[in-house]
């Protein structure tokens, strides 16, 4: 089913890989016209959130029900090439490791075939108290089908 034209883009899955397209706007850049380094984290966050939404994970409902929420546990980022105003970028996300209460997601920001930035992000599901909590079972079953397997 194709979403109506007035709905925001959520990206799409291509196999186990989530692809999220975006454009660089003036507000994303610094004085030199290059994307400000922290904005890559925003791009990756949007891609991860939409990736989870497309898998059926309702993070808001889980939080409101007192089950918990995802929080960044660990993050390593590498910047490779600058992106600039009006550039079309693609955030490619892959779940690479699944643990009882966390999942590691490898993300690449691409401009065509050029790597702009990449990160390894570990997100942990935590109870309202902040302690780690196992993923909800239905979410875990979905994640198991999406773990990236090198060919």
């Amino acid at each position: 089913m194709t979403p109506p034209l007035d709905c925001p883009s959520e990206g799409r899955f291509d196999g186990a890989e989530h692809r999220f397209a975006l454009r660089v706007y003036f507000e994303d850049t610094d004085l030199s016209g290059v994307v400000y380094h922290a904005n890559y984290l925003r791009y990756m966050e949007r891609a991860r959130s939409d990736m989870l939404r497309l898998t059926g994970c309702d993070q808001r409902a889980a939080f409101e029900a007192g089950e918990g929420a995802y929080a960044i546990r660990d993050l390593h980022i590498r910047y490779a090439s600058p992106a600039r105003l009006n550039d079309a970028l693609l955030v490619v996300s892959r779940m690479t490791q699944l643990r009882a209460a966390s999942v590691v997601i490898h993300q690449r920001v691409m401009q065509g075939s050029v790597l702009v930035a990449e990160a390894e992000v570990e997100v942990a599901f935590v109870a309202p108290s902040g302690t780690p909590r196992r993923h909800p079972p239905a979410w875990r079953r979905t994640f198991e089908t999406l773990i990236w397997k090198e060919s």
Side-chain angles (χ1 to χ4, degrees):
M1 183 168 105
T2 304
L5 293 176
D6 57 354
C7 287
S9 172
E10 295 180 326
R12 66 179 177 82
F13 274 98
D14 182 5
E17 196 171 68
H18 182 260
R19 302 169 72 81
F20 181 81
L22 59 102
R23 180 159 313 278
V24 175
Y25 295 106
F26 184 77
E27 67 185 10
D28 298 324
T29 62
D30 61 17
L31 183 63
S32 68
V34 171
V35 171
Y36 181 66
H37 72 278
N39 286 329
Y40 293 105
L41 296 174
R42 289 173 178 237
Y43 300 158
M44 292 176 189
E45 175 67 31
R46 290 175 194 158
R48 283 192 312 276
S49 293
D50 281 344
M51 177 179 68
L52 290 174
R53 184 178 298 110
L54 284 176
T55 66
C57 297
D58 189 340
Q59 295 184 81
R60 183 175 177 176
F63 175 76
E64 290 174 353
E67 294 175 29
Y70 281 108
I72 299 295
R73 182 182 177 283
D74 194 30
L75 176 112
H76 299 273
I77 190 166
R78 182 176 75 88
Y79 302 97
S81 178
R84 293 183 168 79
L85 180 63
N86 289 329
D87 284 352
L89 303 177
L90 181 68
V91 181
V92 181
S93 305
R94 300 172 173 172
M95 293 184 182
T96 59
Q97 294 177 38
L98 180 61
R99 300 182 179 119
S102 68
V103 62
V104 176
I105 303 168
H106 180 262
Q107 295 185 280
R108 298 184 325 267
V109 179
M110 305 294 295
Q111 183 185 11
S113 62
V114 176
L115 176 67
V116 175
E118 68 180 331
E120 287 286 326
V121 184
E122 183 176 3
V123 292
F125 194 68
V126 294
S129 65
T131 58
R133 175 176 276 178
R134 292 183 178 277
H135 303 281
W139 296 8
R140 181 175 180 81
R141 286 190 298 275
T142 299
F143 295 169
E144 287 170 346
T145 68
L146 294 172
I147 294 298
W148 185 259
K149 296 171 182 64
E150 293 294 326
S151 18

